[in-house]
């Protein structure tokens, strides 16, 4: 059975109280029952990851420990300092993030575009993430984006597929499969995710593809009902 990562990228959304309300609704009784059944039935391959802002990590970590099985639901960050801990004002280090998160999204196109993040910085961040046992999820915009050595999870996110971008048109499943196949076989990436305008109605088109091991979801992950539908439909 293939492993599926269902990764929510909340971007710069939600206050602590909004994140709290999301979790109470998301982890409702039906969903908890469904999640507890996952280690035995055919859906036991799903790994849910929520990547909120740094300000929300501690609160969500507390709620998850109280209410959800950690083998199924864990946290990720959306970025990380390229430096180790130390005198770097305004940056969150891998050591700090790893107190709460197992994963970190690196090289998202919004960081490359708005904060001029470079391939070189992504490579440096991957090395520091590894030092602190954080699993990087490296975003690539196409076949030509370099992937640093030792990365296990890559998200293929074509620029014009992201809902906040200029087009917001999801990639065709054929295109997603072609790029994912290339990343798996030519770049030797074990897990390739697709991201860009994923929603409950189209998620299965991607997760059923041979080379795709999950999805990175932006807008549709902000609503607890739509995010749980995505997870169940995947
Ligand atoms: P979207 O964002 O699902 O809102 O298109 C995806 C992403 O930017 O990771």
């Amino acid at each position: 059975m293939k492993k599926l990562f269902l990764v929510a990228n909340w971007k710069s959304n939600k206050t602590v109280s909004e994140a709290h309300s999301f979790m109470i609704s998301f982890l409702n009784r039906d969903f908890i029952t469904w999640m507890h059944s996952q280690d035995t039935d055919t859906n036991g391959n799903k790994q849910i990851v929520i990547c909120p802002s740094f300000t929300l990590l501690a609160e969500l970590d507390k709620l998850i420990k109280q209410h959800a099985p950690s083998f199924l639901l864990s946290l990720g960050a959306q970025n990380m300092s390229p430096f180790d801990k130390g005198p770097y004002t305004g940056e969150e280090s891998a050591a700090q993030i790893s107190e709460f998160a197992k994963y970190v999204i690196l090289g998202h196109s919004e960081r490359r575009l708005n904060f001029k993040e470079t391939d070189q910085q992504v490579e440096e961040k991957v090395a520091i993430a590894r030092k602190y046992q954080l699993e990087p999820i490296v975003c690539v915009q196409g076949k030509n984006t370099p992937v640093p050595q030792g990365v296990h999870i890559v998200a293929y996110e074509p620029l014009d597929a992201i809902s906040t971008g200029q087009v917001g048109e999801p990639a065709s499943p054929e295109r997603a499969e072609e790029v994912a196949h290339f990343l798996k076989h030519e770049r030797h990436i074990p897990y390739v995710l697709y991201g860009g305008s994923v929603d409950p109605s189209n998620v299965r088109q991607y997760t059923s593809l041979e080379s795709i091991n999950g999805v990175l979801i932006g807008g549709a992950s902000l609503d607890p009902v739509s995010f749980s539908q995505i997870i169940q439909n995947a």
Side-chain angles (χ1 to χ4, degrees):
M1 192 187 346
K2 90 175 168 176
K3 194 172 168 98
L4 284 182
F5 293 91
L6 305 155
V7 185
N9 176 9
W10 282 0
K11 309 191 179 182
S12 298
N13 293 296
K14 296 196 191 294
T15 60
V16 170
S17 71
E18 287 165 352
H20 192 98
S21 306
F22 173 100
M23 271 301 179
I24 299 305
S25 165
F26 179 63
L27 298 174
N28 64 53
R29 188 189 294 265
D30 289 349
F31 194 63
I32 290 281
T33 308
W34 179 83
M35 286 208 286
H36 276 290
S37 70
Q38 297 307 294
D39 53 342
T40 47
D41 78 10
T42 53
N43 283 316
N45 55 338
K46 290 179 183 168
Q47 173 69 58
I48 306 162
V49 184
I50 296 182
C51 302
S53 301
F54 297 124
T55 54
L56 307 175
L57 281 171
E59 175 69 12
L60 293 185
D61 183 47
K62 204 170 66 190
L63 285 172
I64 289 171
K65 284 190 176 124
Q66 282 166 2
H67 299 290
S70 63
F71 70 90
L72 197 64
L73 175 58
S74 46
L75 291 172
Q78 300 169 18
N79 181 33
M80 198 195 80
S81 172
F83 301 107
D84 212 324
K85 58 191 165 192
Y88 303 103
T89 304
E91 289 291 311
E92 283 73 24
S93 71
Q96 294 171 312
I97 293 168
S98 64
E99 276 194 290
F100 310 108
K102 270 169 69 176
Y103 299 88
V104 58
I105 298 173
L106 295 176
H108 191 281
S109 58
E110 287 159 9
R111 293 215 54 83
R112 295 176 192 263
L113 195 71
N114 299 316
F115 303 96
K116 309 289 172 262
E117 190 158 293
T118 63
D119 294 331
Q120 173 68 31
Q121 285 168 332
V122 174
E123 196 176 324
E124 288 161 8
K125 290 181 183 191
V126 165
I128 303 219
R130 289 245 156 271
K131 181 173 167 194
Y132 289 92
Q133 282 82 48
L134 277 169
E135 188 70 65
I137 300 172
V138 172
C139 298
V140 304
Q141 291 70 50
K143 290 181 186 172
N144 295 331
T145 312
V147 181
Q149 282 290 321
V151 168
H152 300 133
I153 311 176
V154 160
Y156 166 51
E157 296 210 312
L159 281 180
D160 53 9
I162 294 177
S163 68
T164 46
Q166 292 194 321
V167 184
E169 187 65 43
S172 70
E174 293 74 24
R175 175 80 184 139
E177 173 59 28
E178 191 213 325
V179 177
H181 187 273
F182 170 86
L183 291 167
K184 276 201 147 165
H185 295 91
E186 304 295 320
R187 299 278 182 82
H188 310 292
I189 309 295
Y191 301 112
V192 181
L193 321 186
Y194 166 74
S197 300
V198 171
D199 63 28
S201 69
N202 67 14
V203 62
R204 185 87 192 130
Q205 283 178 25
Y206 299 104
T207 53
S208 60
L209 296 169
E210 196 187 327
S211 306
I212 296 276
N213 282 96
V215 283
L216 182 54
I217 314 125
S221 71
L222 291 169
D223 175 65
V225 174
S226 118
F227 186 44
S228 33
Q229 280 168 353
I230 288 175
I231 294 162
Q232 295 184 57
N233 293 352

